[in-house]
């Protein structure tokens, strides 16, 4: 009897299956392919519906480890125009489209300097700074579009610009706020209660502070009124994400939480750093000890001057290498950062990349090889009469305390790191950097 019931049920399912398939389009209205076509059309219309354009909060770097930027975007007749906080006086126009993938995807399909620069490879940086120029649609409303970078998976938002607003005024407001941030050091307070000292760094747009034993390290985006954090600060059970800049008081304010700018005692003007410095670091195994020198001069191009990139000449083992030395105007300090050294030599026929690294107490070396601006800051210590080295904390290798110049060679048209006997070739080795003194 049981088997008979099973056979009857199977027969009924078989007979009803064509009917279910036949009715699926009626139930859902359209086939999956038709619904995807509709989503592509609707999303493209939404992008082009804003005459003033959109504000994008953009994040680079795997797991939000890279810099963040505010971008202004306008879509019209298959063209996209982008104005970036990185280059606030130059907008770039190219083609764009919304295409089908797993779902609708916004793709900037011809070169746009404002976006493709963030994903462009360079010597030693095959992934650029890990930026995206293709974005999957996650959710949409009339005024907010949530996107996700197709390659690096960072979530980003497009917010409709208010009617009658001006790109020039919006970006000028951002530039004005950034110009007023003459230090990256901030005192965090809850009402009148002192909480901690932290940093709001405009080099990579990142906030770092430890409050109540918990470290907050998050990227942020500038707005025309202040900053918006990617991840909120949580203080006494309350979240704080949106901060308004109080120009007269020199502080960011969110409710009763504030971050007040101050200038540290170590602050020095840019020209203080001009001259020749001796870098103190541990001895490199198997390398004859000679002074490691860094000569610093004023920027030689308008572009470098605008970015605060000082001209540097690094001398290691009596050989000289041109490098750029960023001046951190917010700290009054200088930095050595990851960068290509475009100088072809017999030991590095395709140039070098200066990589930051961590050497642990037990001597284990971990080199940070992803594109970034991680490095070591040198801040002046008046009592000791020297510039003390302080390394950035990275998510992969820990606190930077060393630098290695990794040689590259050509394989066909490609530059690749030189490896001999299973080891990277490193013509420059600066382990466990401690400080700099003026020569």
């Amino acid at each position: 009897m049981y088997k008979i019931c099973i056979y009857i049920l199977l027969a009924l399912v078989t007979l009803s299956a064509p009917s279910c398939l036949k009715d699926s389009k009626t139930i859902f209205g359209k086939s999956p392919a038709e619904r995807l076509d509709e989503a592509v059309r609707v999303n493209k219309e939404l992008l082009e519906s804003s005459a003033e354009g959109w504000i994008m909060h953009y994040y680079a770097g795997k797991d939000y480890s890279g810099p963040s930027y505010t971008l202004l975007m306008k879509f019209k007749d298959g063209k996209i125009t982008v104005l970036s906080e990185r280059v606030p006086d130059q907008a770039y126009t190219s083609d764009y489209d919304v295409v089908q993938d797993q779902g609708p995807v916004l793709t900037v399909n011809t070169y746009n300097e404002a976006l493709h620069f963030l994903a462009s490879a360079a010597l030693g940086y095959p992934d650029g700074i890990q930026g995206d120029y293709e974005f999957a649609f996650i959710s949409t409303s009339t005024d907010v579009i949530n996107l996700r970078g197709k390659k690096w998976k960072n979530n980003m938002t497009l917010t409709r610009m208010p009617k009658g607003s001006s790109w020039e005024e919006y970006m000028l407001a951002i530039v004005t706020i950034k110009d007023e941030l003459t230090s990256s050091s901030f005192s965090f307070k809850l009402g009148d209660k002192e909480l901690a000292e932290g940093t709001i760094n405009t080099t990579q747009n990142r906030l770092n502070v430890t409050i109540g034993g918990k470290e907050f390290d998050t990227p942020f985006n500038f707005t025309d009124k202040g900053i918006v954090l990617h991840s909120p600060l949580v203080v006494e059970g309350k979240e704080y994400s949106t901060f308004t800049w109080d120009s007269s008081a020199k502080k960011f304010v969110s409710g009763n939480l504030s971050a007040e700018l101050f200038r540290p005692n170590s602050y020095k003007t840019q020209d203080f750093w001009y001259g020749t410095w001796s870098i103190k670091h541990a001895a490199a195994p198997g390398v004859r000890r000679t002074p490691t020198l860094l000569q610093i001069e004023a920027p030689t191009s308008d572009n470098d001057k605008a970015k605060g990139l000082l001209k540097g000449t690094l001398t290691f083992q009596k050989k000289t290498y041109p490098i750029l030395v960023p001046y951190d105007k917010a700290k009054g300090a200088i930095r050595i950062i990851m960068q290509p050294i475009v100088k072809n030599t017999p030991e590095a026929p395709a140039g070098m990349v200066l990589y930051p690294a961590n050497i642990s107490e037990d001597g284990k070396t971990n080199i940070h090889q992803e594109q970034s601006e991680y490095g070591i800051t040198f801040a002046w210590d008046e009592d000791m009469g020297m510039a003390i080295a302080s390394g950035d904390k990275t998510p992969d290798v820990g606190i930077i305390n060393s630098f290695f110049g990794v040689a590259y060679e050509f394989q066909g048209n490609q530059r690749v790191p030189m490896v001999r006997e299973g080891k990277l070739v490193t013509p420059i080795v600066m382990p466990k950097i401690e400080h700099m003194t003026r020569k």
Side-chain angles (χ1 to χ4, degrees):
M1 181 66 182
Y2 176 78
K3 289 184 178 179
I4 294 173
C5 289
I6 292 294
Y7 293 147
I8 292 172
L9 286 171
L10 286 173
L12 289 172
V13 169
T14 304
L15 289 171
S16 64
S19 177
C20 291
L21 292 172
K22 180 181 178 182
D23 292 343
S24 64
K25 188 170 180 179
T26 303
I27 293 171
F28 293 106
K30 295 179 180 178
S31 69
E34 289 172 328
R35 290 199 301 275
L36 184 53
D37 285 340
E38 179 72 5
V40 165
R41 182 187 65 79
V42 168
N43 285 325
K44 194 166 187 178
E45 288 179 356
L46 177 60
L47 290 172
E48 298 204 2
S49 68
S50 177
E52 285 76 13
W54 302 83
I55 304 163
M56 173 179 259
H57 288 174
Y58 182 101
Y59 302 99
K62 184 179 179 181
D63 298 326
Y64 306 94
S65 60
S68 59
Y69 299 101
T70 295
L71 310 178
L72 304 184
M73 295 181 169
K74 189 177 293 184
F75 303 85
K76 187 67 176 176
D77 298 331
K79 299 288 184 180
I80 178 175
T81 300
V82 186
L83 180 63
S84 171
E85 163 200 339
R86 188 178 65 86
V87 185
D89 57 353
Q90 176 65 60
Y92 297 92
T93 299
S94 63
D95 295 337
Y96 91 95
D97 204 352
V98 178
V99 298
Q100 297 182 14
D101 196 341
Q102 305 268 338
V105 170
L106 165 62
T107 175
V108 182
N109 49 12
T110 61
Y111 188 81
N112 188 296
E113 174 69 19
L115 278 172
H116 286 80
F117 169 84
L118 304 175
S120 297
L123 173 59
Y125 313 135
D127 295 322
I129 62 170
Q130 297 181 340
D132 274 290
Y133 54 87
E134 292 187 310
F135 311 91
F137 286 82
I138 305 303
S139 63
T140 62
S141 66
T142 302
D143 296 324
V144 178
I145 301 173
N146 293 306
L147 304 170
R148 179 172 296 142
K150 188 176 176 183
K151 183 173 184 179
W152 298 107
K153 310 303 182 186
N154 291 338
N155 292 334
M156 312 184 199
T157 59
L158 285 173
T159 303
R160 184 184 294 266
M161 291 197 73
K163 288 186 178 181
S165 59
S166 160
W167 278 25
E168 291 74 16
E169 291 177 2
Y170 194 94
M171 199 58 72
L172 178 60
I174 291 176
V175 170
T176 300
I177 293 172
K178 293 177 74 172
D179 285 345
E180 292 181 358
L181 300 181
T182 55
S183 171
S184 62
S185 299
F186 285 79
S187 175
F188 288 77
K189 299 179 181 179
L190 189 65
D192 295 328
K193 179 184 176 182
E194 298 273 357
L195 296 175
E197 290 183 0
T199 59
I200 298 177
N201 192 307
T202 59
T203 303
Q204 287 207 331
N205 288 355
R206 201 164 198 94
L207 179 149
N208 184 277
V209 66
T210 299
I211 299 175
K214 181 177 180 180
E215 181 182 11
F216 298 93
D217 182 13
T218 179
F220 64 82
N221 290 93
F222 278 98
T223 71
D224 59 339
K225 294 179 175 59
I227 60 174
V228 176
L229 308 185
H230 172 259
S231 300
L233 301 182
V234 182
V235 183
E236 296 185 359
K238 186 175 180 180
E239 294 186 351
Y240 300 87
S241 295
T242 302
F243 289 78
T244 300
W245 175 243
D246 185 333
S247 180
S248 59
K250 301 300 180 190
K251 63 183 180 181
F252 288 105
V253 179
S254 179
N256 59 345
L257 180 66
S258 65
E260 186 172 347
L261 181 148
F262 70 90
R263 179 171 285 187
N265 294 331
S266 61
Y267 191 96
K268 292 295 180 182
T269 59
Q270 179 175 300
D271 56 4
F272 169 85
W273 298 100
Y274 298 165
T276 303
W277 299 80
S278 178
I279 301 177
K280 173 68 167 61
H281 58 78
V287 178
R288 184 170 59 88
R289 191 66 179 261
T290 61
T292 299
L293 305 177
L294 178 61
Q295 182 179 343
I296 301 175
E297 304 174 62
T300 55
S301 72
D302 290 339
N303 186 51
D304 287 349
K305 188 181 297 182
K307 295 179 179 179
L309 297 174
L310 311 185
K311 179 182 178 182
T313 303
L314 179 67
T315 301
F316 183 80
Q317 291 294 293
K318 298 183 178 181
K319 296 179 180 179
T320 60
Y321 304 93
I323 68 171
L324 292 172
V325 182
Y327 172 71
D328 188 338
K329 71 172 185 177
K331 291 184 177 179
I334 60 167
R335 288 171 54 76
I336 297 178
I337 62 171
M338 182 179 186
Q339 61 184 284
I341 298 177
V342 187
K343 180 180 180 179
N344 299 343
T345 62
E347 67 270 21
M352 267 190 282
V353 173
L354 196 59
Y355 283 115
N358 170 269
I359 299 179
S360 62
E361 291 300 320
D362 61 5
K364 184 179 180 181
T365 299
N366 293 296
I367 298 178
H368 175 78
Q369 295 187 60
E370 292 186 357
Q371 164 69 19
S372 71
E373 293 186 358
Y374 288 125
I376 292 176
T377 297
F378 293 88
W380 183 250
D381 188 306
E382 195 68 44
D383 294 333
M384 299 184 70
M386 60 180 62
I388 305 299
S390 175
D392 296 333
K393 182 180 179 182
T394 72
D396 55 347
V397 305
I399 295 176
I400 301 301
N401 59 14
S402 310
F403 268 96
F404 291 84
V406 176
Y408 275 66
E409 62 185 349
F410 287 104
Q411 288 186 2
N413 294 325
Q414 300 294 317
R415 285 186 169 97
V416 298
M418 289 180 65
V419 179
R420 299 293 182 267
E421 298 179 359
K423 295 183 179 180
L424 290 170
V425 177
T426 54
I428 298 174
V429 181
M430 296 188 290
K432 295 190 175 182
I433 297 170
E434 299 177 11
H435 60 253
M436 294 196 318
T437 54
R438 193 182 292 276
K439 290 289 288 183

